[in-house]
């Protein structure tokens, strides 16, 4: 995930240079386009190895899109608020982003831990049953005898 995080950081700091040449809408459309393209690419190339070049390229494209959107959303929120509330809006946005990241990470971690535990339990149970000779005929791939 390092390529993603680095490109988000770099893009978020550099995208402000494009504000004079492009409208917020154009930057937003480009950000959403890159984010969608990066996620679609990752959907096809991700395997269990996160170090492959196609996966890293997908994370970079996704990070560029996200970096552009993060800065854009922050600027739109702050400029849309009255000047006396701009600081509060920025603080609330930062708090909301941190909370969403924490909840998302916790949910993803809980889901992955649950799936890993379930699959690991099934694998251990199957190996123990085979090792102890208790595997059914279905586990060995043999035909089941007719009930009779």
């Amino acid at each position: 995930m390092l390529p993603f995080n680095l490109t988000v950081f770099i893009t978020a700091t550099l995208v402000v240079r494009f504000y004079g040449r492009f409208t917020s809408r154009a930057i937003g459309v480009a950000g959403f386009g890159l984010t969608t393209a990066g996620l679609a690419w990752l959907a096809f190339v991700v395997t269990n190895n996160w170090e492959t070049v196609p996966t890293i390229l997908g994370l970079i494209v996704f990070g560029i899109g996200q970096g552009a959107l993060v800065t854009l959303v922050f600027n739109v929120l702050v400029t849309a608020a009255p000047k006396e509330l701009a600081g509060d809006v920025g603080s609330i946005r930062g708090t909301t982003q941190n909370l969403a990241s924490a909840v998302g990470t916790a949910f993803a971690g809980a889901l992955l831990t649950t799936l890993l535990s379930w699959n690991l339990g099934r694998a251990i149970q199957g190996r123990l049953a085979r090792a102890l000779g208790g595997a059914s005929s279905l586990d060995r791939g043999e035909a089941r005898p007719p009930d009779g």
Side-chain angles (χ1 to χ4, degrees), residues 30-65:
F32 276 115
L34 287 170
T35 300
T36 302
L39 286 177
W41 176 259
L42 287 172
F44 290 106
V45 300
V46 167
T47 59
N48 207 11
N49 184 3
W50 286 85
E51 296 175 358
T52 62
V53 173
T55 303
I56 292 171
L57 290 176
L59 288 171
I60 289 171
V61 171
F62 181 49
I64 291 170

Side-chain angles (χ1 to χ4, degrees), residues 125-145 147:
Q125 183 181 15
R127 287 185 187 250
L128 280 176
R130 283 191 293 278
L132 298 175
S136 69
S137 59
L138 290 176
D139 291 338
R140 292 190 297 265
E142 301 171 4
R144 187 177 192 176
D147 294 327

Side-chain angles (χ1 to χ4, degrees), residues 115-130:
L115 290 173
L116 178 65
S117 300
W118 185 68
N119 286 327
L120 187 62
R122 285 185 56 205
I124 290 171
Q125 183 181 15
R127 287 185 187 250
L128 280 176
R130 283 191 293 278

Side-chain angles (χ1 to χ4, degrees), residues 96-111:
T96 304
Q97 182 178 353
N98 290 338
L99 181 62
S101 295
V103 170
T105 302
F107 178 76
L111 179 66

